[in-house]
Amino acid sequence: EVYSDSTKHIVPHPKILLVDRESQLGRGERIHFLACKACSQEWAQQGKEDGSGKVTQWNFEPKRAEYCFHGEHTLQKFPKEDLRVRKPKSLDLEVGPELQSRVNC
């Protein structure tokens, strides 16, 4: 996604931090009850299977739980303990005229 002041920053739930609370399968439908250790949200994820047994469209309840983080872009550093957008060994890049030359080396 190209950055602009009007775009939102969207972060999916880190798969390694998801907890499967319960799953129900049957009659071409799947329901998963999940929780995320990064953002502490809990939700139900429901989808209908196509003819091959795959789900192409998931519905989230509550809807806001589809993403771990959804908000404004920022130039502020994220706290090291914020697991929604930071991964182990994440780096903070300081914006400035030297940035590209430092990335290239």
Side-chain angles (χ1 to χ4, degrees), residues 71-82:
E72 301 296 325
H73 281 280
T74 180
L75 294 177
Q76 303 292 322
K77 289 184 179 179
F78 289 104
K80 291 196 183 306
E81 63 275 2
D82 190 341

Side-chain angles (χ1 to χ4, degrees), residues 27-102:
R27 296 198 172 143
E29 186 174 69
R30 296 183 198 177
I31 303 174
H32 299 286
F33 296 93
L34 301 165
C36 178
K37 291 181 182 180
C39 65
S40 303
Q41 292 187 87
E42 295 184 7
W43 68 93
Q45 185 173 322
Q46 182 176 5
K48 295 195 183 289
E49 296 178 355
D50 62 13
S52 67
K54 294 181 182 177
V55 175
T56 56
Q57 177 72 38
W58 289 101
N59 296 313
F60 291 80
E61 187 60 45
K63 182 70 175 153
R64 71 177 184 280
E66 184 171 358
Y67 297 104
C68 197
F69 178 80
H70 184 228
E72 301 296 325
H73 281 280
T74 180
L75 294 177
Q76 303 292 322
K77 289 184 179 179
F78 289 104
K80 291 196 183 306
E81 63 275 2
D82 190 341
L83 300 175
R84 297 173 302 168
V85 293
R86 294 189 68 95
K87 295 182 174 48
K89 300 181 183 177
S90 290
L91 298 174
D92 290 319
L93 299 176
E94 298 291 330
V95 177
E98 310 271 321
L99 177 61
Q100 189 60 53
S101 62
R102 293 173 121 189

Side-chain angles (χ1 to χ4, degrees), residues 4-19:
S4 81
D5 289 334
S6 64
T7 59
K8 297 285 186 181
H9 185 65
I10 298 172
V11 178
H13 296 282
K15 290 183 181 182
I16 196 163
L17 296 176
L18 289 180
V19 177

